[in-house]
Amino acid sequence: MLNTEKIRQDFPILKKGIIYFDSTSSSLTPEPVLQKMLEFYHEYRANVDRGVHRLSQKASEEYEKAHAKVADFLNAKSQNEVVITKNTTEGINTVANGLQWKKGDKIVTTLLEHHSNFLVWLRLKQRYGVKIEIVKPKPPVMYGLLDVGDFEKIVDDKTKLVAVTHASNVLGTISPVEQIAEIAHEHDAFMLIDAAQSVPHMKVDVRKIDCDFLAFSGHKMCGPTGCGALYIKNEVMDEIEPLNIGGGVIEDVEINNYTLNKTSKRYEAGTPPIAEGIGLGAAVDYLQKIGMENIEKHEKSLAKQMYEEVSEIPKIEVYGPPPQKKISILAFNVDNLNPHDVALALDVSANIMIRSGHHCALPLIKQVLKKSSVARASTYFYNTKEEVHKLSSALRDIAEHLTQ
Ligand SMILES: Cc1ncc(COP(=O)(O)O)c(C=O)c1O
């Protein structure tokens, strides 16, 4: 059981009466994470891997520890499989631009994807003539559930990469990534997972899933902005040419040649986001202390409550599957109201923050939901049943009084 009351003390914004239902976009950051970053600035503010003096040694040690914490969190074999990035987007771009492509290579992705796991593949199509095949959700499509059988039909020996979101940022749907990875590997294709919405909310085990690449953002899991991570399975590391090269990536340099470091260090060119990386390590500590199983359980109960209370309000249409099949996200529209107006009304009338718009998932919004935008409320472990109830009451008011 979570002690939500105690946990909430770690988040100063929550003490100001704010009800934050936009963690899918970016989570709040707790004090212990901020304190850990401040410790770097106050006590060992120096560059990493570039000095023998004690401040640099200490900063390097803490930055290394952050990699080790992320590796442990994901059950990776070693911290050498973890690259600290700016965000999920950078992680996916690193893979997209690092693999060697030729005309006729095939990429399989889905209609559920965030633009970060979609545009990169479209660009490869334009650049190299790579073929993209898109798996659509099975009926009822607005649940956003993927059918493993569709991957069996579409993934073939020409497929070089299967790139799938682990959890949809609009519908919350959880994808069967373990089975999809197995299908990809039967055809010698790589498996990439966009884990921006799974790693913060559930236990993710890269060895159990057996993916080759997995990207996520620190700022969605209590870490600071400006950091994320990319897992690259050790066995496939040589397949990925680094996006940037420069300081910090080499084993040796001659006048005419260079050899790259054998570990994930080769993907962290230049001075890295040291404080943010250390903050990411602290966020992992924070989540592990609470326990991912406890987080998941708490959020499941909020998801159920939110779904039940909101879907029974007249004039509100909810999208996505029933709560047992998804993370705690609720996408909806209130009658003919523009979702931005709904979000503003919730802010002004009830101090409730939600997201509205296309959620950087236009193919899904347009082709699956047949809309141009939707409203979305999303919870995290610091939210409470009372807050969910305030959301549904405020929405009931809006549906009653603001619609014609
Ligand atoms: C599923 C999914 N993928 C990728 C991203 C991109 O994350 P970032 O903006 O941190 O790179 C997001 C952000 O909302 C997301 O929800």
Side-chain angles (χ1 to χ4, degrees):
M1 267 283 277
L2 288 192
N3 186 346
T4 325
E5 200 59 38
K6 182 161 174 283
I7 285 170
R8 288 170 67 86
Q9 298 304 313
D10 290 335
F11 296 86
I13 289 178
L14 298 177
K15 294 179 195 160
K16 297 184 176 152
I18 297 286
I19 299 180
Y20 194 71
F21 282 136
D22 195 19
S23 296
T24 292
S25 201
S26 204
S27 74
L28 303 176
T29 307
E31 279 303 294
V33 171
L34 299 173
Q35 287 307 324
K36 187 70 190 174
M37 290 169 72
L38 263 185
E39 177 190 286
F40 161 73
Y41 283 113
H42 286 162
E43 294 177 28
Y44 44 91
R45 171 72 178 83
N47 213 330
V48 290
D49 297 336
R50 284 155 173 81
V52 294
H53 62 79
R54 93 184 93 110
L55 297 193
S56 179
Q57 291 293 314
K58 174 71 176 158
S60 307
E61 195 185 297
E62 291 290 339
Y63 193 62
E64 279 309 305
K65 256 196 237 166
H67 288 72
K69 286 173 188 179
V70 172
D72 175 61
F73 191 52
L74 301 175
N75 194 28
K77 282 193 288 285
S78 134
Q79 69 191 71
N80 291 333
E81 296 180 312
V82 172
V83 185
I84 291 193
T85 59
K86 195 165 71 180
N87 48 34
T88 308
T89 307
E90 189 177 73
I92 297 174
N93 271 273
T94 300
V95 176
N97 292 290
L99 285 168
Q100 303 295 308
W101 299 99
K102 61 177 187 328
K103 196 169 180 332
D105 284 340
K106 185 163 137 182
I107 296 169
V108 175
T109 187
T110 84
L111 204 49
L112 300 181
E113 306 306 319
H114 185 281
H115 295 165
S116 294
N117 197 29
F118 202 78
L119 268 56
V120 282
W121 316 124
L122 292 186
R123 185 159 73 171
L124 294 178
K125 181 176 166 183
Q126 289 158 5
R127 274 190 186 161
Y128 304 107
V130 163
K131 199 171 164 215
I132 315 283
E133 288 214 38
I134 298 169
V135 176
K136 300 184 178 66
K138 65 181 174 188
V141 285
M142 86 48 173
Y143 276 12
L145 294 166
L146 297 172
D147 189 339
V148 175
D150 288 335
F151 287 87
E152 267 160 4
K153 281 185 219 138
I154 291 175
V155 178
D156 59 16
D157 290 347
K158 290 214 166 103
T159 309
K160 182 156 176 144
L161 179 79
V162 180
V164 176
T165 188
H166 199 172
S168 158
N169 64 310
V170 180
L171 303 174
T173 324
I174 301 166
S175 310
V177 285
E178 226 175 296
Q179 288 136 292
I180 300 171
E182 203 179 324
I183 296 167
H185 290 150
E186 275 165 16
H187 295 277
D188 280 336
F190 298 111
M191 174 75 183
L192 176 143
I193 298 178
D194 173 350
Q197 298 303 341
S198 58
V199 166
H201 302 281
M202 61 178 89
K203 178 86 198 106
V204 172
D205 182 329
V206 288
R207 276 196 268 180
K208 187 155 173 269
I209 298 170
D210 192 25
C211 52
D212 300 291
F213 315 109
L214 181 134
F216 62 95
S217 301
H219 69 89
K220 294 182 194 288
M221 50 174 279
C222 293
T225 56
C227 77
L230 171 67
Y231 160 79
I232 305 182
K233 193 198 271 176
N234 192 43
E235 290 82 344
V236 301
M237 201 156 280
D238 283 338
E239 305 280 346
I240 306 287
E241 184 70 20
L243 206 53
N244 302 313
I245 49 175
V249 304
I250 53 95
E251 213 162 71
D252 198 11
V253 187
E254 301 291 346
I255 235 159
N256 291 318
N257 204 1
Y258 63 90
T259 38
L260 289 174
N261 192 308
K262 293 212 172 7
T263 72
S264 61
K265 281 263 179 276
R266 71 169 86 163
Y267 304 105
E268 295 183 5
T271 299
I274 307 169
E276 290 76 7
I278 291 172
L280 175 62
V284 166
D285 285 343
Y286 189 83
L287 295 179
Q288 282 188 319
K289 200 164 157 210
I290 296 173
M292 291 311 290
E293 289 81 8
N294 294 330
I295 289 174
E296 214 177 323
K297 205 165 151 208
H298 180 72
E299 288 201 70
K300 277 256 171 284
S301 107
L302 295 184
K304 182 167 180 289
Q305 183 196 350
M306 189 159 67
Y307 182 87
E308 286 172 359
E309 289 186 11
V310 177
S311 58
E312 67 167 37
I313 301 173
K315 299 192 193 169
I316 291 194
E317 186 177 33
V318 305
Y319 315 110
Q324 55 285 12
K325 292 190 189 297
K326 63 174 187 172
I327 56 168
S328 189
I329 284 178
L330 192 70
F332 59 92
N333 271 324
V334 185
D335 201 33
N336 55 353
L337 292 181
N338 183 319
H340 290 319
D341 291 336
V342 174
L344 280 174
L346 284 171
D347 178 354
V348 171
S349 70
N351 269 341
I352 295 175
M353 313 296 141
I354 65 158
R355 168 94 194 260
S356 50
H358 59 56
H359 307 270
C360 299
L362 275 172
L364 164 60
I365 299 282
K366 287 199 274 196
Q367 297 212 18
V368 177
L369 301 184
K370 312 281 183 210
K371 304 279 169 200
S372 54
S373 77
V374 299
R376 178 192 71 194
S378 55
T379 73
Y380 210 180
F381 57 88
Y382 37 69
N383 291 117
T384 63
K385 284 195 164 301
E386 294 71 41
E387 287 181 324
V388 172
H389 195 60
K390 280 187 186 158
L391 170 72
S392 54
S393 304
L395 281 174
R396 193 176 283 277
D397 262 6
I398 290 170
E400 248 174 57
H401 300 115
L402 294 188
T403 56
Q404 278 127 28

